[in-house]
Amino acid sequence: MKPLSLLIEILIILGVTIKTLEAEKHTERQKERNVTTQVSVNQTQQLLSHILERRKLSKVISKRENLLDKKKNLHKIRIKGIQNKDLLKRSKNHLKTHEKKNFTDEGDQLFNMGTKILQQSKSQKQKAEAYLLFAKAADMGNLKAMEKMADALLFGNFGTQNITAAIQLYESLAKEGSYKAQNALGFLSSYGIGMEYDQAKALIYYTFGSAGGSMMSQMILGYRYLSGINVLQNCEVALNHYKKVADYIADKLEKSEGIPVEKVRLTERPENLSSNSEILDWDIYQYYKFLAERGDVQIQVSLGQLHLIGRKGLDQDYYKALYYFLKAAKAGSANAMALIGKMYLEGNAAAPQNNATAFKYFSMAANKGNAIGLHGLGLLYFYGKGVAVNYSEALKYFQKAAEKGWPNAQFQLGFMYYSGSGVWKDYKIAFKYFYLASQSGQPLAIYYLAEMYATGTGVLRSCRTAVELYKGVCELGHWAEKFLTAYFAYKDGDIDSSLIQYALLAEMGYEVAQSNSAFILESKKAKILEKEKMYPMALLLWNRAAIQGNAFARVKIGDYHYYGYGTKKDYQTAATHYGIAADKYHSAQAMFNLAYMYEHGLGIAKDIHLARRLYDMAAQTSPDAHIPVFFALMKLETVHMLRDILLFNFTMRWKWMKLDNILGPYWDLFMIGLIVAVLIFLLRNRR
């Protein structure tokens, strides 16, 4: 059944949102990000309960009307006879089918319009209009629109975040067979957010979601089987799940180059976080624009690249990208020429697909020895775009570009030898080029390396290596865009929205999201989870991040066991984790903590000399540790000196008492005489 009550509530919220957004004027683009309209939670709950009651009444009325209709129909059939029975049924079914089709078509049109507006939107007002269309489409029974609205309620995209309403929508959608709803319910069950904490139930939801075609569910199951989370660890099962997602991502990447997403770590220092290198500050962006207009070619190319793929928090804007590239190309930049060629080769709103123009700009760049230009010419000859297919020419250009270290050219060479395109198949050479390209993060090269390790083609088969490589490809999916929305939500103070997005990514196996979720949970600022559950859940997420190689997370686990956060105090376990972080990751903080434990004998045998050594190592490892180490050593040496003095006094008193008993009260005079005699003897022998 349609969750009419929830959709009416969404329409009310979005109506308020649009009115509020129309009244506000935003002068800076950065301030437009992640602006959420404040709607009273109590008011929303009252509306929801009122609508639900009205829905119950409407159900009762509709049931009574149905009963009356049935009685009337039976009466008519008896009067008209059995011959008219088929005619009545046919006419009614035809009318119902026609109405339903019109209703469905209108819902589909509204959903498509909303999707188009959302893709092209650059302001919160446009996004709100898109969600209003989704709400209307959902009211007409469009399942995709209902999924969009459920996500909006869960993540707090517009209006107040309402997890209870989102769960009700997801449960209704799950009954209709929505795999996205199955995945969402599994995620909420695994954290106990708005639902009972139940890992077994979460696993069932994920299994149904993956069977229905959810790539996110596939990825979550892959991570669970890889790490043995509530299932038996099984590399082959993990490989099967990750491969399905990686195939899907690779297919997308072959059609268009993926857009990398900046993953900001919230564990950075506050002063670094406010000006994080992953996100371009608005003032810095304005300064770069000023330099670009003044003729700085390098800045022009950099801004063009940022706008071309939409990086550093900037919107993708082909017109601005082409504008900056043309300015730089006019000044003689080979990189700019090659990137203009790339734009015309792929085609977009600013530079429509044109092979001849692409060939022209690639040739200009290649004549200057530019690797991107050489690679571009290789692509034209390899795929026969604007020129005849010529594998020999393609190979020549790819080799020249690869020698200059361009990873895309290295991948293309590897692919030629892997597929035998224009050359004899040679898996060893293919592996060599795939490996070289993968070192620069070329995603398709990583994918093909995973394929080779998974099947044992050209290399010794390794399930674990294949899974790790597939996992890296899977993490390039469109869902990674939530890293940016989660970060901006956190920066704007919307902690609950930020946490729910990071938590979903953490469930999918993103190490950065795991540490960010744990960081938010331990701050106890979130309201969507009970406070007593926060430390245990944070410890669980720190542990998952530590297993994936996060040194900071490993130190955090030590801290939790040392202080007893979310678990019992256990100095021995704390020392073990500090030891791993110090030995494996050379963490200065871990060295310092371990030194303190050796100094005081906490969970390990007391060892002052080892404590001194670890303090010194911490100071050598990190300059930030110099001052803490200085004070720690001062304290250690002072305490040690005082103990030595006290011990010396006690020892001397004990010795004096013993000598008085043996030699009498004048033993000191006897010792002085003996020392004088020895000195005289030594002086005579010297002469």
Side-chain angles (χ1 to χ4, degrees), residues 156-182:
N157 294 342
F158 291 94
T160 304
Q161 187 180 31
N162 193 331
I163 293 170
T164 306
I167 290 169
Q168 290 182 38
L169 258 179
Y170 282 132
E171 286 175 342
S172 299
L173 286 163
K175 288 174 184 176
E176 298 290 333
S178 168
Y179 62 80
K180 289 184 178 179
Q182 298 279 5

Side-chain angles (χ1 to χ4, degrees), residues 409-646:
Q410 291 166 345
F411 161 71
Q412 288 294 342
L413 279 175
F415 181 75
M416 288 184 78
Y417 282 104
Y418 182 82
S419 59
S421 303
V423 292
W424 291 102
K425 277 189 180 181
D426 192 324
Y427 293 124
K428 288 185 178 178
I429 296 176
F431 179 84
K432 169 192 165 185
Y433 283 115
F434 285 150
Y435 180 78
L436 283 171
S438 71
Q439 295 304 295
S440 301
Q442 217 287 342
L444 285 172
I446 297 169
Y447 171 75
Y448 279 100
L449 274 180
E451 290 279 281
M452 295 181 82
Y453 275 111
T455 56
T457 306
V459 289
L460 189 66
R461 188 180 187 275
S462 173
C463 177
R464 183 79 189 189
T465 307
V467 168
E468 292 291 345
L469 290 167
Y470 276 139
K471 183 175 181 288
V473 176
C474 294
E475 290 182 354
L476 297 171
H478 62 84
W479 39 78
E481 292 170 4
K482 288 194 182 297
F483 271 105
L484 278 180
T485 54
Y487 169 71
F488 285 121
Y490 179 82
K491 206 173 179 186
D492 291 341
D494 193 351
I495 304 300
D496 287 340
S497 175
S498 178
L499 175 60
I500 206 90
Q501 292 179 78
Y502 277 133
L504 176 59
L505 293 167
E507 187 75 356
M508 296 171 73
Y510 287 90
E511 178 270 309
V512 175
Q514 288 168 350
S515 59
N516 285 355
S517 300
F519 178 80
I520 293 172
L521 282 168
E522 75 172 19
S523 69
K524 292 192 173 182
K525 292 178 182 177
K527 297 174 184 176
I528 57 174
L529 207 65
E530 294 85 350
K531 286 191 175 180
E532 60 271 13
K533 291 182 181 177
M534 288 188 182
Y535 273 135
M537 187 59 71
L539 178 59
L540 178 72
L541 290 165
W542 283 129
N543 190 55
R544 289 181 185 177
I547 290 168
Q548 296 200 69
N550 187 321
F552 184 82
R554 183 66 67 181
V555 175
K556 275 287 181 183
I557 297 169
D559 292 343
Y560 275 52
H561 282 96
Y562 183 89
Y563 294 108
Y565 294 154
T567 184
K568 291 180 180 179
K569 278 189 179 182
D570 190 340
Y571 291 137
Q572 194 171 357
T573 305
T576 302
H577 286 289
Y578 290 145
I580 293 168
D583 296 336
K584 193 174 180 180
Y585 305 110
H586 307 290
S587 167
Q589 183 66 61
M591 291 172 188
F592 186 91
N593 294 353
L594 200 58
Y596 182 86
M597 295 185 81
Y598 271 113
E599 181 186 350
H600 296 278
L602 300 172
I604 44 180
K606 190 173 182 179
D607 192 328
I608 299 298
H609 299 292
L610 190 53
R612 281 199 192 101
R613 183 184 169 194
L614 284 164
Y615 279 135
D616 289 336
M617 285 172 65
Q620 290 169 10
T621 305
S622 172
D624 294 337
H626 284 162
I627 294 172
V629 165
F630 172 76
F631 285 113
L633 284 172
M634 283 286 290
K635 177 208 153 196
L636 187 147
E637 296 299 341
T638 304
V639 171
H640 192 59
M641 185 178 71
L642 288 171
R643 283 178 181 171
D644 285 347
I645 291 168
L646 290 171

Side-chain angles (χ1 to χ4, degrees), residues 199-458:
Q199 289 293 340
K201 201 173 181 181
L203 190 62
I204 293 168
Y205 278 126
Y206 289 143
T207 304
F208 278 114
S210 65
S214 170
M215 291 294 111
M216 293 173 80
S217 290
Q218 291 278 10
M219 196 167 163
I220 290 167
L221 287 174
Y223 177 65
R224 287 194 165 219
Y225 279 102
L226 174 65
S227 306
I229 299 170
N230 299 109
V231 291
L232 289 173
Q233 197 169 14
N234 191 321
C235 183
E236 295 299 333
V237 177
L239 179 70
N240 183 43
H241 286 295
Y242 272 124
K243 179 171 168 50
K244 288 176 183 176
V245 185
D247 289 344
Y248 168 79
I249 301 297
D251 183 59
K252 296 280 185 186
L253 290 170
E254 283 174 354
K255 291 174 184 175
S256 62
E257 194 172 326
I259 299 172
V261 176
E262 286 73 20
K263 302 181 181 86
V264 180
R265 289 189 183 274
L266 300 182
T267 51
E268 293 272 340
R269 289 182 175 185
E271 60 267 26
N272 293 342
L273 190 61
S274 61
S275 58
N276 198 287
S277 60
E278 296 291 339
I279 305 295
L280 192 64
D281 188 75
W282 183 251
D283 293 331
I284 296 172
Y285 172 65
Q286 293 298 326
Y287 177 64
Y288 283 163
K289 279 179 69 177
F290 169 74
L291 292 177
E293 294 300 330
R294 289 284 299 272
D296 191 317
V297 176
Q298 191 175 351
I299 295 294
Q300 288 169 350
V301 174
S302 297
L303 282 177
Q305 286 178 301
L306 291 175
H307 281 296
L308 178 63
I309 56 178
R311 289 198 66 185
K312 301 284 184 184
L314 295 179
D315 292 326
Q316 191 175 40
D317 192 324
Y318 294 120
Y319 291 99
K320 285 183 180 178
L322 186 61
Y323 169 76
Y324 286 120
F325 287 149
L326 286 170
K327 284 180 79 73
K330 193 176 179 181
S333 170
N335 275 336
M337 295 171 190
L339 290 166
I340 293 169
K342 182 177 181 292
M343 289 183 75
Y344 278 104
L345 176 64
E346 294 173 356
N348 54 64
Q353 207 284 327
N354 191 313
N355 292 326
T357 308
F359 185 86
K360 170 191 166 185
Y361 279 103
F362 280 142
S363 298
M364 289 166 64
N367 290 336
K368 290 176 174 282
N370 182 269
I372 305 172
L374 291 164
H375 170 253
L377 288 176
L379 287 175
L380 292 174
Y381 281 108
F382 185 80
Y383 292 106
K385 293 191 173 184
V387 293
V389 173
N390 190 326
Y391 289 129
S392 299
E393 282 293 299
L395 184 68
K396 180 182 77 175
Y397 284 118
F398 287 148
Q399 283 175 336
K400 286 181 179 179
E403 285 169 6
K404 293 178 180 292
W406 186 239
N408 290 350
Q410 291 166 345
F411 161 71
Q412 288 294 342
L413 279 175
F415 181 75
M416 288 184 78
Y417 282 104
Y418 182 82
S419 59
S421 303
V423 292
W424 291 102
K425 277 189 180 181
D426 192 324
Y427 293 124
K428 288 185 178 178
I429 296 176
F431 179 84
K432 169 192 165 185
Y433 283 115
F434 285 150
Y435 180 78
L436 283 171
S438 71
Q439 295 304 295
S440 301
Q442 217 287 342
L444 285 172
I446 297 169
Y447 171 75
Y448 279 100
L449 274 180
E451 290 279 281
M452 295 181 82
Y453 275 111
T455 56
T457 306

